[in-house]
Amino acid sequence: MRLLDLIEKTVVGMGYELVDFEQAERGLLRVYIDLTPENAQGNFIVVEDCEKVSHQLTHVLTVENVNYGRLEISSPGLDRPLRKLSDYARFAGQEAIIKLRLPMPEMSNRKTFQGILHGPVGELLKLEFEGNDGMATLDFTLADVDKARLVPKVDFRSRKA
C-alpha cells in the first residue's frame, strides 16, 4: 500500500480529514489533519487530536514496516491550503489567495489573485476579486492551481479578558 493511502486510511478512519502530508529531510514525516466539515462547526484541531493521530499512525507505520525517522502531526493552520475540490466547496464565501501555474493573459498576465471563493460548479472554480476596473471573476480549474490558501482571519475583539 502506498504511504499516502496508508496515512489517509488511518486518519479518515479516526474521523479526521487528511489535508496534506510531506516527507522531509532525515526521514521526517509531517501529516496535516483537520476536523471533517461535519465535526468542525467552529471547532479547531487541538493538541489532543494530534496526539491521538500520532499514537495510531505510529502503530500503523510500525506494523506496515514504514521507514521514517520522526513523525509530526499538525493542524493545517489558519492559512489552510486548498487542495481538493471539496475544499473549495467547504470554504466557499471565504477569502483565499490563489496562485496559478501559468499567467492569465486576459488579466495582465497575473498569476496570483486574492478574493472571495465561490462554490464549484462541476469542475469549474471561481474567485471574485478586486480588478483594475472594479470587481472581476477568475474562472479556473484545480489543474490550473499551483498553490491556494485561505487568508487567515483573526478577530481579537471577541476575545475575553
Side-chain angles (χ1 to χ4, degrees), residues 26-84:
R26 297 187 180 141
L28 173 62
L29 185 59
R30 285 191 184 109
V31 177
Y32 298 93
I33 62 170
D34 202 354
L35 298 173
T36 60
E38 304 82 42
N39 296 330
Q41 301 169 3
N43 296 317
F44 301 98
I45 288 291
V46 294
V47 173
E48 291 78 14
D49 295 314
C50 295
E51 182 181 22
K52 207 169 16 173
V53 171
S54 177
H55 285 297
Q56 186 63 30
L57 265 179
T58 298
H59 292 301
V60 169
L61 295 173
T62 301
V63 167
E64 294 293 329
N65 203 25
V66 174
N67 188 17
Y68 69 98
R70 195 170 86 228
L71 177 64
E72 288 182 4
I73 310 296
S74 176
S75 79
L78 294 175
D79 62 341
R80 183 191 201 280
L82 305 169
R83 303 226 187 271
K84 301 173 274 195

Side-chain angles (χ1 to χ4, degrees), residues 2 9 50 67 69 76 80 106 111 114 119 125 130 159:
R2 287 186 16 222
K9 181 179 178 184
C50 295
N67 188 17
R80 183 191 201 280
E106 63 273 15
K111 285 175 69 173
Q114 181 171 339
L125 301 166
E130 185 70 40
R159 195 173 161 177

